[in-house]
Amino acid sequence: MLKDQTAIVGIGETRFAKRLEDTEWALACQAIKAALDDAGIDPSEVDAMGCFNQETTPEFDIARSLGFGDVHFFNQVAHGGGAACGVLGQVAMAVACGVANVGVVWRSRKRGDPSKRQWAGVQPRIADHWKWSRPHGLLRPVDEVAVTMRRYMHEFNVTREQLATVALSQRAYANNNPKAIMADKTLSLDDYLSGRMISDPLCLYDNCLESDGAIALVLVRSTDVDRHQQPVYLHAFSQGMSPQHQLMTDYHGHNPLQSSSWTTAANLWRQSDIQPSDIKLAQIYDAFSPMILYCLEAYGFCGRGEAADFIADGGMSQQGRLPVNTSGGSLSEVYLHGMNLLTEAVRQLRGEAANQVAAADSCLVATCDSTPNGAVVLRR
């Protein structure tokens, strides 16, 4: 069993900004080297690698550039924002079962470059699964999430003022995080309500940043942690894809408001000795703010239709029942397909976070609710 058999012993990040001059390759190398330095591990010891299938920094380029030795495992995980925990978990399995000894995972993106924005292009003809939604005006991920949020608001009598709590809470975290892109930009409820509408009912502040940067993590077997940075153990891991799900839209399942997160959550908690009532904080993928509400329910922190009241009552604040996205998340720290959620979880469990949660000894990290996805439980 994977439980507690591997540990994260190094994290590394580049500077975050709306636009950086370095290439995605250079940013990836910087983040991975920083993570290895944090762990006290020489690059020649790395023999397992994991990244996203949308990554433009191939494994061989990274290995050659940083001076890796023989590599025994490498993988890529699909589905963008749903991939971060899958990348980490799959490399952890390779290390735990002895295929490899030292693993690195990374994400490097230059979203500030319009040519790197996946949804900016226009196809002359749609022949794949998008043909079921694009002709009806669902052109971007925000449009698809907006449809589900409008339905959620109708079913559970949720207001925009309640939804605003997500953006406001994460901006408050970012205002106390010097590395956050939005560190110096406050956000009020009036600002939120007057924000430009992107896809009704989602306004500008319900959407993630477009930003540049890179993040990396290093993990080893738990038996090898003594000479490294304070370990953070990977306690449980699962990926999930529910019946009828496809990329982004989940309109074809029996209930579009019960996404693949429910599949992931059930399998995750089945493996875990640490249950939702024990979790001290969570880092939840937030390309769009409704995903926080959906995941709070899917992972069992509140009942169906109760998430809006949970956050409006301060539940995701630093002193709340479950502090969420304590670095500012994708809405206010940086958008790197959720990899910053993993590094923030590690900082919290090490006791090094800018918005440190008292007695933080366990953390859920969950990836994109709207895609096939994954999640991990990390513990100190």
Side-chain angles (χ1 to χ4, degrees):
M1 181 176 280
L2 184 61
K3 187 185 300 177
D4 299 330
Q5 295 303 301
T6 59
I8 299 167
V9 293
I11 57 175
E13 299 171 333
T14 64
R15 186 168 67 90
F16 304 142
K18 185 174 182 179
R19 180 70 67 91
L20 296 173
E21 293 302 318
D22 284 326
T23 64
E24 288 182 347
W25 164 79
L27 293 170
C29 289
Q30 292 167 31
I32 294 169
K33 184 60 167 62
L36 290 168
D37 289 346
D38 185 50
I41 292 176
D42 190 87
S44 63
E45 298 181 61
V46 175
D47 60 350
M49 307 170 68
C51 62
F52 292 50
N53 74 338
Q54 296 174 345
E55 187 68 51
T56 59
T57 55
E59 297 94 332
F60 55 82
D61 271 349
I62 296 296
R64 181 175 61 243
S65 300
L66 290 171
F68 294 174
D70 292 335
V71 175
H72 303 119
F73 179 84
F74 42 91
N75 75 311
Q76 294 186 339
V77 177
H79 304 303
C85 290
V87 172
L88 178 66
Q90 290 183 25
V91 171
M93 287 191 290
V95 171
C97 71
V99 171
N101 298 306
V102 176
V104 296
V105 301
W106 74 91
R107 183 60 165 155
S108 176
R109 293 295 279 166
K110 287 181 64 67
R111 297 277 295 205
D113 179 354
S115 69
K116 299 291 186 178
R117 297 178 189 175
Q118 178 179 352
W119 311 104
V122 177
Q123 298 168 263
R125 178 172 295 185
I126 304 172
D128 56 18
H129 64 277
W130 297 117
K131 65 181 176 287
W132 305 114
S133 55
R134 293 285 171 83
H136 301 287
L138 302 180
L139 304 180
R140 307 160 297 176
V142 64
D143 302 320
E144 295 165 319
V145 175
V147 170
T148 60
M149 187 59 199
R150 180 55 74 187
R151 182 65 192 183
Y152 184 93
M153 294 171 81
H154 171 77
E155 287 196 16
F156 302 114
N157 195 31
V158 172
T159 67
R160 286 194 66 220
E161 286 80 2
Q162 289 175 301
L163 179 61
T165 307
V166 175
L168 296 177
S169 297
Q170 293 187 204
R171 183 62 61 88
Y173 284 131
N175 291 155
N176 197 42
N177 173 13
K179 292 198 69 173
I181 291 176
M182 293 296 178
D184 299 325
K185 297 183 179 180
T186 59
L187 181 67
S188 69
L189 180 58
D190 287 343
D191 293 332
Y192 174 91
L193 293 174
S194 62
R196 175 165 53 94
M197 193 61 70
I198 303 299
S199 188
D200 186 42
L202 306 183
C203 73
L204 176 67
Y205 303 108
D206 293 308
N207 288 253
C208 65
L209 302 170
E210 295 288 1
S211 46
D212 292 1
I215 287 173
L217 299 94
V218 178
L219 66 159
V220 300
R221 274 188 294 280
S222 297
T223 53
D224 297 332
V225 300
D226 290 347
R227 66 188 179 96
H228 302 304
Q229 176 69 268
Q230 177 182 331
V232 169
Y233 296 94
L234 200 162
H235 180 73
F237 159 65
S238 181
Q239 291 178 275
M241 183 171 67
S242 59
Q244 300 296 317
H245 205 163
Q246 59 191 42
L247 179 60
M248 287 304 301
T249 53
D250 189 29
Y251 302 137
H252 310 292
H254 74 283
N255 182 351
L257 294 181
Q258 286 189 290
S259 67
S260 288
S261 293
W262 293 78
T263 300
T264 302
N267 193 48
L268 183 77
W269 299 130
R270 177 188 63 80
Q271 302 170 61
S272 179
D273 296 334
I274 302 168
Q275 294 296 297
S277 60
D278 305 313
I279 294 289
K280 296 300 194 305
L281 71 155
Q283 311 295 332
I284 297 173
Y285 185 81
D286 59 327
F288 310 105
S289 56
M291 294 176 174
I292 301 295
L293 279 67
Y294 302 160
C295 283
L296 287 171
E297 297 177 9
Y299 286 90
F301 297 109
C302 53
R304 290 293 315 281
E306 296 177 359
D309 287 335
F310 180 96
I311 64 170
D313 291 339
M316 65 181 286
S317 68
Q318 192 169 354
Q319 288 75 39
R321 155 68 186 90
L322 186 76
V324 175
N325 293 1
T326 48
S327 65
S330 301
L331 297 181
S332 285
E333 184 189 29
V334 66
Y335 183 58
L336 283 172
H337 272 144
M339 284 292 283
N340 58 318
L341 304 178
L342 286 167
T343 48
E344 172 64 8
V346 172
R347 283 192 295 266
Q348 286 282 353
L349 297 177
R350 286 179 176 180
E352 301 173 351
N355 298 292
Q356 185 61 49
V357 173
D361 59 5
S362 59
C363 182
L364 169 77
V365 182
T367 54
C368 183
D369 177 78
S370 295
T371 67
N373 57 40
V376 294
V377 174
L378 302 178
R379 74 164 184 87
R380 193 161 55 206

